[in-house]
Amino acid sequence: MRMRLCAAFLVLSTVLVGCPEGDDDDSTRTIPPPAGCDLPALSNTRFSFHLHFGGEEYPQAGLLDLMEEFDVDVFPFTFLPGIVTELGPAEEPGLMAITLTDNTPPPEGEDPPEDPNWIRITYELPLGYDLPVELNQQVASVTVLDVSSGDLVAAFGLWHELEDGTFQLLFMAEPSDAGLAFQPGDAHPMFASVELRDRACPNLYTLPTGCASAYNLSTQFEVLPEELEDGTVIDGDSFELWPTEHRDFVYAGLELRAVNVWSFAFREIDPECNNQYDYSAQRASFFVTRTANAP
């Protein structure tokens, strides 16, 4: 009878529980953390730019000073039409440089300006990656400086200009781990949302100062939906990336790659630590490039 009762219970129950034959119901089940918890960060992604406009020089630091002087929190700057006139190593070891020179046709009968406008961006990307551009390519750039949060959030992107005057994304970087300059949503180049997820990872390390311990977050990306010519709406791709991971996806007919450089936060924060760094913030850095130009 005992065996028949046990068998009936197993059939009817939605949770498989063994009949009491010495099982320890109080035993603790350990759920291992996601494998991405242990992944290290990629090498730093950084950039700065120098603008030559109307015969005047505007280095990035100088533009930040002007923003403070005129009480401006956000400075988005679009440079087009531009042609790539420099692409290679910068003066500072470890950095590369790209210069876009104004390619606006002069009025009929006039010579090109002797001192054209240009923007020069010096940058560093993780090993194996570089900008998917070529010398003499017609390119538009967008650079953003945002100090509205109290920290500098800077980002830049490059778009290829087609013969019909439209633009296709080449590259976009969000290297400032204090926030995003290009806000996800309908106006974003490709993402409906970019959200950090706390998956309860164990600590990676404790800072030498003892102020806090770092642990990994993952980043959830949701690609914008697309509407076809017949009105059909196709949902965008959705994927989770841990630090160092990448994902290839297609948007607006372009084969793109998203790369998570790092995403992390701090816990065990010592309130006695006295510095300007915000240990309570969640931090992330990523970029998007053409898949064909990725390693």
Side-chain angles (χ1 to χ4, degrees):
M1 177 66 71
R2 176 181 174 86
M3 292 302 296
R4 284 198 297 270
L5 289 173
C6 182
F9 181 77
L10 288 176
V11 171
L12 296 173
S13 176
T14 57
V15 180
L16 296 179
V17 181
C19 290
E21 290 291 342
D23 289 348
D24 182 6
D25 292 339
D26 296 329
S27 61
T28 301
R29 295 182 179 181
T30 301
I31 301 176
C37 286
D38 295 328
L39 291 176
L42 288 173
S43 59
N44 194 17
T45 300
R46 57 183 172 133
F47 85 99
S48 63
F49 66 91
H50 185 111
L51 177 63
H52 176 86
F53 196 83
E56 299 291 335
E57 305 296 325
Y58 300 96
Q60 182 170 307
L63 286 171
L64 288 170
D65 290 340
L66 286 174
M67 290 171 64
E68 182 177 4
E69 179 180 348
F70 291 99
D71 196 25
V72 174
D73 288 338
V74 182
F75 176 74
F77 182 77
T78 301
F79 189 91
L80 68 95
I83 188 168
V84 180
T85 53
E86 178 195 16
L87 186 64
E91 298 83 1
E92 183 180 343
L95 292 182
M96 303 291 288
I98 178 174
T99 297
L100 306 182
T101 301
D102 187 4
N103 197 37
T104 303
E108 187 175 353
E110 294 186 14
D111 294 328
E114 295 183 0
D115 186 20
N117 299 326
W118 50 262
I119 184 170
R120 187 174 194 254
I121 301 171
T122 56
Y123 62 93
E124 178 187 14
L125 294 175
L127 185 65
Y129 287 95
D130 202 354
L131 299 181
V133 297
E134 300 176 350
L135 282 172
N136 300 317
Q137 184 175 352
Q138 189 94 343
V139 174
S141 73
V142 177
T143 49
V144 182
L145 300 175
D146 185 342
V147 294
S148 59
S149 66
D151 294 315
L152 172 61
V153 176
F156 80 100
L158 299 174
W159 279 259
H160 175 49
E161 185 175 1
L162 304 179
E163 292 182 357
D164 62 1
T166 61
F167 294 87
Q168 291 183 334
L169 180 76
L170 290 166
F171 179 89
M172 187 198 74
E174 289 277 10
S176 305
D177 62 18
L180 299 179
F182 297 100
Q183 291 303 312
D186 292 341
H188 194 273
M190 80 287 296
F191 290 132
S193 67
V194 178
E195 297 181 354
L196 293 174
R197 301 177 63 188
D198 190 335
R199 299 280 297 274
C201 287
N203 293 350
L204 285 171
Y205 59 87
T206 299
L207 294 174
T209 58
C211 290
S213 296
Y215 66 100
N216 269 347
L217 306 172
S218 69
T219 306
Q220 184 73 29
F221 296 87
E222 182 181 349
V223 181
L224 285 165
E226 294 188 69
E227 184 174 353
L228 304 182
E229 292 182 357
D230 62 2
T232 304
V233 176
I234 300 176
D235 291 336
D237 199 358
S238 181
F239 48 88
E240 178 185 34
L241 295 180
W242 291 91
T244 73
E245 291 184 337
H246 67 264
R247 172 67 175 265
D248 294 336
F249 65 99
V250 177
Y251 179 69
L254 301 176
E255 296 182 353
L256 302 170
R257 172 174 293 188
V259 182
N260 183 342
V261 179
W262 61 57
S263 47
F264 67 96
F266 290 99
R267 58 166 68 100
E268 299 170 1
I269 301 170
D270 184 353
E272 299 299 321
C273 280
N274 231 344
N275 57 44
Q276 299 299 314
Y277 190 81
D278 183 7
Y279 293 106
S280 65
Q282 295 182 327
R283 298 179 177 271
S285 172
F286 71 89
F287 62 90
V288 176
T289 189
R290 292 287 185 92
T291 302
N293 299 88

